[in-house]
Amino acid sequence: MAHATPKRCRQAGCGKTTTERHGYCDTHADQASWGKFQQQQRRKGPRVYTTKKWQETRDHVSALAKCLCINCLTKPQRVVKSGSVCEHIVPVAKGGTEQLTNLSFFCNSCAKTKTGWERTRTVDEILKRYGHTAINLHL
């Protein structure tokens, strides 16, 4: 197995070399914050979108929407476009739930537009603009 090439320590002004992945010599190894970041991520618990329950919910919503973007279908000038993203209408961070009344199926462009737009909006504004896309309304 090949050995790593020694590189200069990432700490400003340090002339020592290291082969550690974090890039700091033994003296400055405490500067490597990646381990702290990983510990914080573990404390937060499992990621929602990688759980089996969410994957089943996403597949169910996709089947109900027949893999079509509900947002594009409900625009005044109706467009039939393939969807690929199961989207919370009201984000979980703003009090949204995992119920069908808060889920929709969007194409990538609609999902990106919605996600960018909703960052600075209230729950009422989000519901006014996207509430009609709830999957339970289109069953």
Side-chain angles (χ1 to χ4, degrees), residues 14-26:
C14 180
K16 296 180 183 177
T17 59
T18 183
T19 56
E20 297 291 335
R21 290 187 73 189
H22 53 65
Y24 291 96
C25 65
D26 293 335

Side-chain angles (χ1 to χ4, degrees), residues 9-16 22 24-32:
C9 176
R10 293 176 67 189
Q11 180 66 33
C14 180
K16 296 180 183 177
H22 53 65
Y24 291 96
C25 65
D26 293 335
T27 308
H28 300 108
D30 61 327
Q31 298 293 322

Side-chain angles (χ1 to χ4, degrees), residues 32-135:
S33 60
W34 182 248
K36 290 178 186 177
F37 174 76
Q38 287 179 325
Q39 287 175 352
Q40 289 171 350
Q41 294 302 312
R42 269 188 242 115
R43 267 187 253 134
K44 290 180 182 176
R47 293 291 199 212
V48 174
Y49 300 112
T50 59
T51 62
K52 186 174 181 175
K53 182 181 176 190
W54 172 254
Q55 291 170 356
E56 290 170 357
T57 302
R58 182 193 61 211
D59 293 343
H60 180 65
V61 169
S62 172
L64 290 174
K66 297 180 176 68
C67 294
L68 298 175
C69 177
I70 296 173
N71 193 46
C72 290
L73 285 173
T74 57
K75 288 181 178 177
Q77 293 180 354
R78 189 176 176 160
V79 178
V80 177
K81 201 170 180 184
S82 178
S84 59
V85 180
C86 182
E87 181 82 20
H88 289 92
I89 296 168
V90 177
V92 175
K94 294 189 179 193
T97 64
E98 301 289 325
Q99 297 175 341
L100 288 179
T101 56
N102 190 43
L103 296 175
S104 189
F105 204 68
F106 287 0
C107 61
N108 282 332
S109 61
C110 287
K112 284 182 182 179
T113 301
K114 179 186 173 296
T115 301
W117 176 85
E118 71 191 6
R119 286 191 180 131
T120 59
R121 308 300 172 151
T122 64
V123 172
D124 290 336
E125 290 174 315
I126 294 168
L127 286 173
K128 186 176 180 181
R129 185 163 178 180
Y130 290 103
H132 68 281
T133 64
I135 194 70

